[in-house]
Amino acid sequence: MHLQSTIMQAEAEFEGAAARVAGAEVQANTLSQKTKQIYCCALKALEEFGKSIEEIADDRDIFDSTGAIVVPMPMRLVELYFGHLAAKRVPWNGGEKHLSVSSISVVTSAITSLHKAKRVKVNDDVDVYMKQFVKGYRRTIAEKKQANEYPMMEGKAFLGKDGLTALIEEGIKLGPGLRRPGGEVIEGE
């Protein structure tokens, strides 16, 4: 009886291990190759940034003995990197602009994906920090767009004075009354 119980327990453990392996394989295949590349680049940039900061470059709570980022990722590294990203400017039409919100969101997703791949939960404080940071950054960029300090590439834009003037001029040319697509006037009732 004891032998049969031991065999059943071993089979259950094997099935559990097989299910975990199968689950990890499914999870590994959920990201497209392009997304994996983007996340890899984002994490590489994060790692290089961390190693360039003298005060944390040799910190074993942040980088392991091989130089890889420790998971779960420490808050200190996340705070420093997100602060760096918020201050970063990129070339834009002969000038510079802040990073887009989606660029910041990619870093957040890459960090989360790294944790999922290692089957480690993101620290709650890091998770909350990243979500709040993206939310605040999104608000900042929206305010800069409204103040015309950030290029409008998507979203709602206010109609400027020139655009409004052009619309009024076209309306005056058309005159009163509704028009059909061919230009025929539809008299009002």
Side-chain angles (χ1 to χ4, degrees), residues 4 12 23 35 65 83 118 133 157 161 163 167-169 178-179 185:
Q4 187 177 8
T35 301
S65 60
K118 301 239 182 206
F133 184 92
K161 181 180 175 185
L167 276 176
I168 292 170
E169 287 172 357
L178 299 174
R179 297 185 185 272
V185 177

Side-chain angles (χ1 to χ4, degrees), residues 109-128:
S109 297
I111 291 170
T112 303
S113 180
L114 172 66
H115 284 74
K116 282 183 181 178
K118 301 239 182 206
R119 303 180 134 239
V120 175
K121 186 180 182 301
V122 178
N123 287 335
D124 289 339
D125 54 343
V126 170
D127 189 44
V128 168

Side-chain angles (χ1 to χ4, degrees), residues 127-181:
D127 189 44
V128 168
Y129 175 83
M130 291 189 305
K131 287 176 182 170
Q132 290 301 318
F133 184 92
V134 170
K135 186 177 179 182
Y137 192 78
R138 180 175 283 118
R139 188 179 322 110
T140 299
I141 295 300
E143 289 168 358
K144 288 187 176 298
K145 284 180 179 180
Q146 280 187 324
N148 208 19
E149 296 171 3
Y150 190 89
M152 183 67 74
M153 299 173 298
E154 60 187 38
K156 298 176 183 173
F158 292 105
L159 188 59
K161 181 180 175 185
D162 294 338
L164 187 56
T165 302
L167 276 176
I168 292 170
E169 287 172 357
E170 286 301 312
I172 291 171
K173 287 179 193 175
L174 290 173
L178 299 174
R179 297 185 185 272
R180 289 201 168 101

